[in-house]
Amino acid sequence: MTETLYGISAEVNGTVRAGQVVARTSLVDWLREHLHLTGTHVGCEHGVCGACSVMFDGEPVRSCLMYAVQANGHRVTTVEGLQRPDGQLSVLQDSFCETHALQCGYCTPGMLIAAQALLDANPRPTEHEIREAISGNLCRCTGYQQIVEAIALAAQRMGEDAT
Amino acid sequence: MGHAASPSGFRYIGAKRRTKEDPRFVTGRGRYAADVALPGLKHVALVASPHASARIVSIRTDAARALRGIHYVLTGEEFCATTDSLPIGVDAPKVRRWSLAHERVRYAGEWVAAVVADSRALAEDAAELVEVEYEPLPPILDPEQAMVDGSPLVHPAYGSNVILHRNFVWGPVDDQFAAADHQLEFRAVWSRSATVPIETFAVVGQWNPGTEILDIWASIQMPKFPDQTANALRLPGNAVRVHYDIDVGGSYGVKRGLKHTVLVGYLAKRLGMPVRLVEDRLENMRGGDMHGPDRLFDMKVAFDRDGTIRALKIRAVDNVGAYAGRAPFQLGKPVSAICGPYLIPAIAYEPVAVLTNKTPQEAVRGFGQAPTNFALERTMDRVAQFLNMDRVALRKTNLIRKEQFPYTIPSGSTYDSGDYHTVLDKALAAIDYPALQRRRDAARQAGRLAGIGIATCLEPSGGNSAFEPLLNSKNQTTTWMDSCLVRVDLSGSITGIMGTSSSGQGHETLVSTVIGEILERDPMDIRVVHADSLNALPSNSPVGSRMAIMLGGAAAGAARKIKDALIAIAAHNFECAKEDIAYRDGNASLKGVPEKVLTWGQLVEIAHRKFHAMPPDIEPGLQAKFVWEVPTGGGLPTPDGRIQIYPCYAFEAHIVYVEIDPATAAPTIKQYICGHDCGVMINPDIVHGMTYGGIAHGIGAALYEKFTYDDNGQLTSGTFMDYLIPSALEVPPIRIVDHCTPSPLTTFGQKGSGEAGYLGAPAAVANAVNDALALLGVELNELPLSHLAIFETLCKTTLNKRAPNKRPT
Ligand code: FES
Ligand code: FES
């Protein structure tokens, strides 16, 4: 049994990355195993835990539920692409450190993607909106409290920066 | 080691400080076992048993082997002949277990064969082509049924399904029962759930024939892991090198993939190729052997009309599943706090561990204490209800009083310190208890079901597994040490070295804070590394809420040795007594003569380069190791089964308010507060984080999570669609109210907190739901109090209510 290889090319964290994959390769496997972007994690491979979340053309998606070939010609941002261009932590990343919004760090990349997507769409979320936005991302360590605090803090800081 | 008198007297300990670990995780630079990419890496897929109990008639692997990209198909026949069985905690050597089943499968999901291929996808393709012929046998799933003579035996060679059965009687139990005004009895059921980390278990192994070393990278949290891996593989201990610098994506007890690691180690050595096994979620849930306690409690309590509890009789029957490693010991740890925080003078405890055809268990956060606390707290509420007494007043009547510490409980452990009444009062004040009661009553008036739950519970900490010799007299383990090495290099930089991995507990922050505190150097500049097991120091890993105490104590001990050496160097050079040296910020000066000073840099240079300036009794090079035995550890049980188990006891008082939608039966937690006293907190953000997480996990155990099985022994909750982990919408905002009663036994007065929250949350939530249901005259004592269970109860009570009005037909 030989599987056909398909050529794909996508903009990943601002750089065009090309590769050859078999049709059944998931997007998360391509990112992790082929591009060695291991910041994106795998928790369930059935679309529930959110650990594999990445930005796809600016929208959060579950990369375990997508095929790598679907990314052909699209723009993907992973946790490795969230820092500022100068390499400093983003406001959101720094806020996660400030409130200790993580323990084992396993859900963190997906949480950051979900939170970033929220703040992009809604710069001043209420606590309930924050909880709703991350409710598709499971964390077993934190009980979510310090994550909610971090996102609220990031929103506040970004608001201050904007004024 | 005494503790400092005032927690506020510390420089770094207890302050709000960022952790050392967080920055690498928020940038995606954690390094987990599944991230280890070695050249030529091969991948394992598993063939799992579809039957809960069956004889393996034959296994045909030719079709699988014929696929391209397949390197090996391993079955139990070869594996069991060339490796040793995995260790078992209790005294039942005939209950043997290997990574792969041989001749017989004992639970659905048990591994039967392993396929190695160029990719995981190819390995899975081949696994589907492995043909296994089974002769199904009747499974036994119910523990009480399994105890009955004539039931199918899970391990016929062992001759019984009961793998542990003891009767402990501590104090005059029968006398107390005879003298008490009242007694009552009931059954409480803690269903099978687990910590279920978001990362499944992953392990990579590589054998180097040149050095004859097996390198292991694994998501492991386990004492004695390298030794047990080596033993099973029939290798000397120094042929296995476990890399403890791997980040573990959550564990809370369960990441003990010994069977995974022995399998991968075997394949890596056999094939001469690096091999990786990463569980998928179903493998993890079904065959990952990480389920937690599955326990029936028969509780009997004797008490007086003023609410004084006189005695308890506890029978705990745990369904440990098809094999037993350390899991039955989870009936042992609760001996350490068998009466909870209460003054109960006499207790009988009958722990029973039963083998069935369910997935084997592993250590789960609290190691059996959370279920016991749930049963105890349901008992307290039942007594209060019986006496029509306020639940807070009942608890206050029975809580051990501040002036009674240190307090020895009937089963032999001495509680180090506490101020339970104050912590409970602080929690009540913070939630404004009278207002909360008014809120509940108003909700009830408005037709909603509303309830308040209270739980006052203990968290034994300091991880000393003295329950091993208590439950297995052949086991004489009395040390459960941990250690740290501190080195100062020629540049003056400090490195702390620990001998185990971390799974989110912030050990690098812990060790650097403690070393910084002692040496008066900024913790942010102190690096902390995890040595591999061949370079490492004795450690028993972060189990049993022990690292703040044990690793913290070891780091302090090693740092003190460094400080003593620096003072000795200064004294030698100033030709004065060590007592005449003032040490400040790493510099050493002659007391009263501040200009006579050797700076940190100068002292370090003497130690590394200037032997002529060194005192004769100090080793050159600045490096010190400290191995610490658990305080109060070292003893064996008395003949009547009394033993000091854990050294330190943290206390938590939970108050929770729940409303149940009368139409849908959905429970919602509206308010949650936790009064918490774990002594001196080294990093409050870390302690609070673990407590929030423990509460969230406890809410899961109380309301949502259960490994369900059908009658054939098939796991029916193997995905996150049916095993429900609470999300940010189910977990409410939580308020923690801190209190600090330092432990007299630890370096800084700290106690453990890794299991905080989880030890009381299930009890508190269950009590709240029952307070709500009490209006209807019904009670639910089986966790989880799921939406469905509540719904069915509501339906029944509504039907019962309506029944008298029904027209006769
Ligand atoms: S791994 Fe994709 S949602 Fe869980
Ligand atoms: S930080 Fe561990 S799962 Fe979220």
Side-chain angles (χ1 to χ4, degrees), chain B residues 17-45:
Chain B
R17 296 175 55 77
R18 287 193 175 195
T19 73
K20 290 188 87 70
E21 293 89 345
D22 289 355
R24 75 168 183 268
F25 292 126
V26 298
T27 51
R29 294 195 179 104
R31 187 166 175 258
Y32 302 86
D35 302 343
V36 174
L38 300 173
L41 188 63
K42 305 300 173 214
H43 303 262
V44 180

PDB file of all heavy atoms in Angstrom, chain B residues 17-45:
ATOM      1  N   ARG B  17       5.092  36.585  43.508  1.00  0.00           N
ATOM      2  CA  ARG B  17       6.237  36.574  42.587  1.00  0.00           C
ATOM      3  C   ARG B  17       5.871  35.739  41.383  1.00  0.00           C
ATOM      4  O   ARG B  17       5.239  34.697  41.503  1.00  0.00           O
ATOM      5  CB  ARG B  17       7.465  35.947  43.266  1.00  0.00           C
ATOM      6  CG  ARG B  17       7.975  36.733  44.464  1.00  0.00           C
ATOM      7  CD  ARG B  17       9.112  35.982  45.143  1.00  0.00           C
ATOM      8  NE  ARG B  17      10.171  35.663  44.189  1.00  0.00           N
ATOM      9  CZ  ARG B  17      11.073  36.511  43.734  1.00  0.00           C
ATOM     10  NH1 ARG B  17      11.088  37.735  44.183  1.00  0.00           N
ATOM     11  NH2 ARG B  17      11.970  36.152  42.848  1.00  0.00           N
ATOM     12  N   ARG B  18       6.277  36.170  40.222  1.00  0.00           N
ATOM     13  CA  ARG B  18       6.036  35.371  39.016  1.00  0.00           C
ATOM     14  C   ARG B  18       6.814  34.059  39.103  1.00  0.00           C
ATOM     15  O   ARG B  18       7.866  33.991  39.733  1.00  0.00           O
ATOM     16  CB  ARG B  18       6.475  36.141  37.784  1.00  0.00           C
ATOM     17  CG  ARG B  18       5.534  37.276  37.445  1.00  0.00           C
ATOM     18  CD  ARG B  18       5.829  37.788  36.048  1.00  0.00           C
ATOM     19  NE  ARG B  18       4.867  38.794  35.656  1.00  0.00           N
ATOM     20  CZ  ARG B  18       4.704  39.199  34.403  1.00  0.00           C
ATOM     21  NH1 ARG B  18       5.444  38.680  33.429  1.00  0.00           N
ATOM     22  NH2 ARG B  18       3.812  40.129  34.114  1.00  0.00           N
ATOM     23  N   THR B  19       6.312  33.058  38.426  1.00  0.00           N
ATOM     24  CA  THR B  19       7.000  31.772  38.460  1.00  0.00           C
ATOM     25  C   THR B  19       8.123  31.762  37.427  1.00  0.00           C
ATOM     26  O   THR B  19       8.150  32.561  36.494  1.00  0.00           O
ATOM     27  CB  THR B  19       6.047  30.610  38.128  1.00  0.00           C
ATOM     28  OG1 THR B  19       5.763  30.650  36.730  1.00  0.00           O
ATOM     29  CG2 THR B  19       4.764  30.695  38.932  1.00  0.00           C
ATOM     30  N   LYS B  20       9.024  30.825  37.592  1.00  0.00           N
ATOM     31  CA  LYS B  20      10.114  30.682  36.622  1.00  0.00           C
ATOM     32  C   LYS B  20       9.655  29.936  35.377  1.00  0.00           C
ATOM     33  O   LYS B  20      10.242  30.069  34.313  1.00  0.00           O
ATOM     34  CB  LYS B  20      11.275  29.896  37.249  1.00  0.00           C
ATOM     35  CG  LYS B  20      12.001  30.675  38.313  1.00  0.00           C
ATOM     36  CD  LYS B  20      13.240  29.947  38.764  1.00  0.00           C
ATOM     37  CE  LYS B  20      14.447  30.266  37.917  1.00  0.00           C
ATOM     38  NZ  LYS B  20      14.943  31.629  38.084  1.00  0.00           N
ATOM     39  N   GLU B  21       8.620  29.118  35.527  1.00  0.00           N
ATOM     40  CA  GLU B  21       8.251  28.212  34.442  1.00  0.00           C
ATOM     41  C   GLU B  21       7.344  28.851  33.400  1.00  0.00           C
ATOM     42  O   GLU B  21       7.391  28.483  32.218  1.00  0.00           O
ATOM     43  CB  GLU B  21       7.507  26.988  35.019  1.00  0.00           C
ATOM     44  CG  GLU B  21       8.353  26.086  35.886  1.00  0.00           C
ATOM     45  CD  GLU B  21       8.354  26.486  37.367  1.00  0.00           C
ATOM     46  OE1 GLU B  21       7.931  27.628  37.687  1.00  0.00           O
ATOM     47  OE2 GLU B  21       8.780  25.669  38.195  1.00  0.00           O
ATOM     48  N   ASP B  22       6.466  29.775  33.826  1.00  0.00           N
ATOM     49  CA  ASP B  22       5.394  30.221  32.941  1.00  0.00           C
ATOM     50  C   ASP B  22       5.869  30.754  31.589  1.00  0.00           C
ATOM     51  O   ASP B  22       5.260  30.438  30.555  1.00  0.00           O
ATOM     52  CB  ASP B  22       4.509  31.270  33.643  1.00  0.00           C
ATOM     53  CG  ASP B  22       3.665  30.648  34.753  1.00  0.00           C
ATOM     54  OD1 ASP B  22       3.706  29.409  34.900  1.00  0.00           O
ATOM     55  OD2 ASP B  22       2.976  31.382  35.467  1.00  0.00           O
ATOM     56  N   PRO B  23       6.948  31.560  31.535  1.00  0.00           N
ATOM     57  CA  PRO B  23       7.314  32.127  30.223  1.00  0.00           C
ATOM     58  C   PRO B  23       7.567  31.078  29.145  1.00  0.00           C
ATOM     59  O   PRO B  23       7.190  31.281  27.992  1.00  0.00           O
ATOM     60  CB  PRO B  23       8.577  32.942  30.534  1.00  0.00           C
ATOM     61  CG  PRO B  23       8.419  33.324  31.969  1.00  0.00           C
ATOM     62  CD  PRO B  23       7.752  32.143  32.618  1.00  0.00           C
ATOM     63  N   ARG B  24       8.156  29.950  29.506  1.00  0.00           N
ATOM     64  CA  ARG B  24       8.420  28.997  28.430  1.00  0.00           C
ATOM     65  C   ARG B  24       7.130  28.331  27.947  1.00  0.00           C
ATOM     66  O   ARG B  24       7.028  27.946  26.784  1.00  0.00           O
ATOM     67  CB  ARG B  24       9.480  27.967  28.833  1.00  0.00           C
ATOM     68  CG  ARG B  24       9.057  26.877  29.782  1.00  0.00           C
ATOM     69  CD  ARG B  24      10.170  25.795  29.826  1.00  0.00           C
ATOM     70  NE  ARG B  24       9.811  24.683  30.664  1.00  0.00           N
ATOM     71  CZ  ARG B  24      10.106  24.588  31.967  1.00  0.00           C
ATOM     72  NH1 ARG B  24      10.755  25.550  32.569  1.00  0.00           N
ATOM     73  NH2 ARG B  24       9.742  23.526  32.652  1.00  0.00           N
ATOM     74  N   PHE B  25       6.162  28.234  28.819  1.00  0.00           N
ATOM     75  CA  PHE B  25       4.908  27.614  28.395  1.00  0.00           C
ATOM     76  C   PHE B  25       4.044  28.559  27.550  1.00  0.00           C
ATOM     77  O   PHE B  25       3.385  28.121  26.616  1.00  0.00           O
ATOM     78  CB  PHE B  25       4.111  27.129  29.606  1.00  0.00           C
ATOM     79  CG  PHE B  25       4.761  25.978  30.321  1.00  0.00           C
ATOM     80  CD1 PHE B  25       5.026  26.036  31.677  1.00  0.00           C
ATOM     81  CD2 PHE B  25       5.118  24.829  29.633  1.00  0.00           C
ATOM     82  CE1 PHE B  25       5.627  24.963  32.340  1.00  0.00           C
ATOM     83  CE2 PHE B  25       5.719  23.755  30.279  1.00  0.00           C
ATOM     84  CZ  PHE B  25       5.968  23.830  31.636  1.00  0.00           C
ATOM     85  N   VAL B  26       4.048  29.847  27.872  1.00  0.00           N
ATOM     86  CA  VAL B  26       3.186  30.749  27.085  1.00  0.00           C
ATOM     87  C   VAL B  26       3.772  31.016  25.702  1.00  0.00           C
ATOM     88  O   VAL B  26       3.091  31.563  24.834  1.00  0.00           O
ATOM     89  CB  VAL B  26       2.900  32.101  27.797  1.00  0.00           C
ATOM     90  CG1 VAL B  26       2.156  31.875  29.093  1.00  0.00           C
ATOM     91  CG2 VAL B  26       4.158  32.912  28.005  1.00  0.00           C
ATOM     92  N   THR B  27       5.012  30.643  25.484  1.00  0.00           N
ATOM     93  CA  THR B  27       5.591  30.824  24.147  1.00  0.00           C
ATOM     94  C   THR B  27       5.657  29.507  23.383  1.00  0.00           C
ATOM     95  O   THR B  27       6.280  29.431  22.322  1.00  0.00           O
ATOM     96  CB  THR B  27       7.010  31.416  24.262  1.00  0.00           C
ATOM     97  OG1 THR B  27       7.761  30.627  25.198  1.00  0.00           O
ATOM     98  CG2 THR B  27       6.963  32.841  24.743  1.00  0.00           C
ATOM     99  N   GLY B  28       5.033  28.471  23.939  1.00  0.00           N
ATOM    100  CA  GLY B  28       5.029  27.188  23.228  1.00  0.00           C
ATOM    101  C   GLY B  28       6.361  26.478  23.297  1.00  0.00           C
ATOM    102  O   GLY B  28       6.665  25.632  22.457  1.00  0.00           O
ATOM    103  N   ARG B  29       7.168  26.801  24.318  1.00  0.00           N
ATOM    104  CA  ARG B  29       8.496  26.192  24.400  1.00  0.00           C
ATOM    105  C   ARG B  29       8.609  25.160  25.511  1.00  0.00           C
ATOM    106  O   ARG B  29       9.710  24.819  25.926  1.00  0.00           O
ATOM    107  CB  ARG B  29       9.550  27.269  24.602  1.00  0.00           C
ATOM    108  CG  ARG B  29       9.686  28.188  23.407  1.00  0.00           C
ATOM    109  CD  ARG B  29      10.966  29.004  23.477  1.00  0.00           C
ATOM    110  NE  ARG B  29      11.090  29.864  22.320  1.00  0.00           N
ATOM    111  CZ  ARG B  29      10.866  31.193  22.334  1.00  0.00           C
ATOM    112  NH1 ARG B  29      10.529  31.794  23.449  1.00  0.00           N
ATOM    113  NH2 ARG B  29      10.990  31.890  21.224  1.00  0.00           N
ATOM    114  N   GLY B  30       7.464  24.686  26.015  1.00  0.00           N
ATOM    115  CA  GLY B  30       7.551  23.532  26.896  1.00  0.00           C
ATOM    116  C   GLY B  30       8.102  22.364  26.092  1.00  0.00           C
ATOM    117  O   GLY B  30       8.058  22.373  24.855  1.00  0.00           O
ATOM    118  N   ARG B  31       8.656  21.381  26.757  1.00  0.00           N
ATOM    119  CA  ARG B  31       9.136  20.200  26.027  1.00  0.00           C
ATOM    120  C   ARG B  31       8.539  18.974  26.702  1.00  0.00           C
ATOM    121  O   ARG B  31       8.948  18.571  27.782  1.00  0.00           O
ATOM    122  CB  ARG B  31      10.658  20.139  26.055  1.00  0.00           C
ATOM    123  CG  ARG B  31      11.222  19.026  25.177  1.00  0.00           C
ATOM    124  CD  ARG B  31      12.719  19.245  24.990  1.00  0.00           C
ATOM    125  NE  ARG B  31      13.355  18.159  24.261  1.00  0.00           N
ATOM    126  CZ  ARG B  31      14.079  17.204  24.853  1.00  0.00           C
ATOM    127  NH1 ARG B  31      14.255  17.201  26.156  1.00  0.00           N
ATOM    128  NH2 ARG B  31      14.637  16.259  24.119  1.00  0.00           N
ATOM    129  N   TYR B  32       7.532  18.431  26.044  1.00  0.00           N
ATOM    130  CA  TYR B  32       6.795  17.278  26.566  1.00  0.00           C
ATOM    131  C   TYR B  32       7.304  16.017  25.878  1.00  0.00           C
ATOM    132  O   TYR B  32       7.988  16.089  24.845  1.00  0.00           O
ATOM    133  CB  TYR B  32       5.298  17.465  26.316  1.00  0.00           C
ATOM    134  CG  TYR B  32       4.745  18.732  26.956  1.00  0.00           C
ATOM    135  CD1 TYR B  32       4.813  19.952  26.295  1.00  0.00           C
ATOM    136  CD2 TYR B  32       4.196  18.711  28.230  1.00  0.00           C
ATOM    137  CE1 TYR B  32       4.343  21.115  26.873  1.00  0.00           C
ATOM    138  CE2 TYR B  32       3.708  19.868  28.818  1.00  0.00           C
ATOM    139  CZ  TYR B  32       3.788  21.071  28.144  1.00  0.00           C
ATOM    140  OH  TYR B  32       3.318  22.224  28.731  1.00  0.00           O
ATOM    141  N   ALA B  33       6.951  14.887  26.426  1.00  0.00           N
ATOM    142  CA  ALA B  33       7.503  13.635  25.892  1.00  0.00           C
ATOM    143  C   ALA B  33       7.166  13.456  24.414  1.00  0.00           C
ATOM    144  O   ALA B  33       8.012  12.994  23.633  1.00  0.00           O
ATOM    145  CB  ALA B  33       6.975  12.450  26.704  1.00  0.00           C
ATOM    146  N   ALA B  34       5.956  13.857  24.017  1.00  0.00           N
ATOM    147  CA  ALA B  34       5.576  13.662  22.608  1.00  0.00           C
ATOM    148  C   ALA B  34       6.330  14.614  21.686  1.00  0.00           C
ATOM    149  O   ALA B  34       6.259  14.477  20.464  1.00  0.00           O
ATOM    150  CB  ALA B  34       4.069  13.847  22.439  1.00  0.00           C
ATOM    151  N   ASP B  35       7.030  15.585  22.270  1.00  0.00           N
ATOM    152  CA  ASP B  35       7.784  16.536  21.440  1.00  0.00           C
ATOM    153  C   ASP B  35       9.186  16.030  21.126  1.00  0.00           C
ATOM    154  O   ASP B  35       9.913  16.664  20.342  1.00  0.00           O
ATOM    155  CB  ASP B  35       7.916  17.895  22.153  1.00  0.00           C
ATOM    156  CG  ASP B  35       6.568  18.514  22.506  1.00  0.00           C
ATOM    157  OD1 ASP B  35       5.553  18.075  21.934  1.00  0.00           O
ATOM    158  OD2 ASP B  35       6.544  19.417  23.354  1.00  0.00           O
ATOM    159  N   VAL B  36       9.586  14.953  21.765  1.00  0.00           N
ATOM    160  CA  VAL B  36      10.963  14.462  21.580  1.00  0.00           C
ATOM    161  C   VAL B  36      11.050  13.818  20.201  1.00  0.00           C
ATOM    162  O   VAL B  36      10.414  12.796  19.936  1.00  0.00           O
ATOM    163  CB  VAL B  36      11.325  13.444  22.681  1.00  0.00           C
ATOM    164  CG1 VAL B  36      12.692  12.820  22.407  1.00  0.00           C
ATOM    165  CG2 VAL B  36      11.306  14.121  24.042  1.00  0.00           C
ATOM    166  N   ALA B  37      11.787  14.454  19.319  1.00  0.00           N
ATOM    167  CA  ALA B  37      11.916  13.945  17.942  1.00  0.00           C
ATOM    168  C   ALA B  37      13.348  13.432  17.775  1.00  0.00           C
ATOM    169  O   ALA B  37      14.296  14.202  17.818  1.00  0.00           O
ATOM    170  CB  ALA B  37      11.623  15.058  16.951  1.00  0.00           C
ATOM    171  N   LEU B  38      13.490  12.136  17.631  1.00  0.00           N
ATOM    172  CA  LEU B  38      14.826  11.558  17.449  1.00  0.00           C
ATOM    173  C   LEU B  38      14.944  11.085  16.008  1.00  0.00           C
ATOM    174  O   LEU B  38      13.952  10.636  15.416  1.00  0.00           O
ATOM    175  CB  LEU B  38      15.012  10.369  18.394  1.00  0.00           C
ATOM    176  CG  LEU B  38      14.884  10.676  19.885  1.00  0.00           C
ATOM    177  CD1 LEU B  38      14.922   9.377  20.690  1.00  0.00           C
ATOM    178  CD2 LEU B  38      15.995  11.607  20.348  1.00  0.00           C
ATOM    179  N   PRO B  39      16.125  11.156  15.426  1.00  0.00           N
ATOM    180  CA  PRO B  39      16.271  10.667  14.060  1.00  0.00           C
ATOM    181  C   PRO B  39      15.915   9.177  13.982  1.00  0.00           C
ATOM    182  O   PRO B  39      16.326   8.395  14.847  1.00  0.00           O
ATOM    183  CB  PRO B  39      17.775  10.865  13.765  1.00  0.00           C
ATOM    184  CG  PRO B  39      18.318  11.700  14.869  1.00  0.00           C
ATOM    185  CD  PRO B  39      17.367  11.657  16.019  1.00  0.00           C
ATOM    186  N   GLY B  40      15.119   8.832  13.013  1.00  0.00           N
ATOM    187  CA  GLY B  40      14.761   7.422  12.834  1.00  0.00           C
ATOM    188  C   GLY B  40      13.711   6.920  13.795  1.00  0.00           C
ATOM    189  O   GLY B  40      13.537   5.709  13.968  1.00  0.00           O
ATOM    190  N   LEU B  41      12.978   7.851  14.407  1.00  0.00           N
ATOM    191  CA  LEU B  41      11.984   7.467  15.418  1.00  0.00           C
ATOM    192  C   LEU B  41      10.884   6.569  14.827  1.00  0.00           C
ATOM    193  O   LEU B  41      10.352   6.866  13.763  1.00  0.00           O
ATOM    194  CB  LEU B  41      11.362   8.744  15.980  1.00  0.00           C
ATOM    195  CG  LEU B  41      10.425   8.606  17.181  1.00  0.00           C
ATOM    196  CD1 LEU B  41      11.172   8.052  18.390  1.00  0.00           C
ATOM    197  CD2 LEU B  41       9.803   9.955  17.529  1.00  0.00           C
ATOM    198  N   LYS B  42      10.573   5.493  15.529  1.00  0.00           N
ATOM    199  CA  LYS B  42       9.483   4.594  15.122  1.00  0.00           C
ATOM    200  C   LYS B  42       8.316   4.740  16.103  1.00  0.00           C
ATOM    201  O   LYS B  42       8.490   5.197  17.232  1.00  0.00           O
ATOM    202  CB  LYS B  42       9.960   3.133  15.114  1.00  0.00           C
ATOM    203  CG  LYS B  42      11.188   2.894  14.254  1.00  0.00           C
ATOM    204  CD  LYS B  42      10.949   3.259  12.802  1.00  0.00           C
ATOM    205  CE  LYS B  42      12.242   3.166  12.002  1.00  0.00           C
ATOM    206  NZ  LYS B  42      12.321   4.177  10.949  1.00  0.00           N
ATOM    207  N   HIS B  43       7.152   4.294  15.637  1.00  0.00           N
ATOM    208  CA  HIS B  43       5.927   4.574  16.380  1.00  0.00           C
ATOM    209  C   HIS B  43       5.173   3.295  16.724  1.00  0.00           C
ATOM    210  O   HIS B  43       5.135   2.366  15.913  1.00  0.00           O
ATOM    211  CB  HIS B  43       5.038   5.497  15.556  1.00  0.00           C
ATOM    212  CG  HIS B  43       5.747   6.771  15.203  1.00  0.00           C
ATOM    213  ND1 HIS B  43       5.577   7.932  15.910  1.00  0.00           N
ATOM    214  CD2 HIS B  43       6.671   7.038  14.248  1.00  0.00           C
ATOM    215  CE1 HIS B  43       6.359   8.870  15.393  1.00  0.00           C
ATOM    216  NE2 HIS B  43       7.032   8.355  14.384  1.00  0.00           N
ATOM    217  N   VAL B  44       4.562   3.294  17.892  1.00  0.00           N
ATOM    218  CA  VAL B  44       3.863   2.111  18.370  1.00  0.00           C
ATOM    219  C   VAL B  44       2.352   2.316  18.287  1.00  0.00           C
ATOM    220  O   VAL B  44       1.848   3.379  18.656  1.00  0.00           O
ATOM    221  CB  VAL B  44       4.227   1.810  19.846  1.00  0.00           C
ATOM    222  CG1 VAL B  44       3.494   0.564  20.340  1.00  0.00           C
ATOM    223  CG2 VAL B  44       5.721   1.635  20.006  1.00  0.00           C
ATOM    224  N   ALA B  45       1.659   1.290  17.803  1.00  0.00           N
ATOM    225  CA  ALA B  45       0.202   1.244  17.952  1.00  0.00           C
ATOM    226  C   ALA B  45      -0.132  -0.054  18.673  1.00  0.00           C
ATOM    227  O   ALA B  45       0.621  -1.040  18.593  1.00  0.00           O
ATOM    228  CB  ALA B  45      -0.495   1.295  16.602  1.00  0.00           C
TER     229      ALA B  45
END
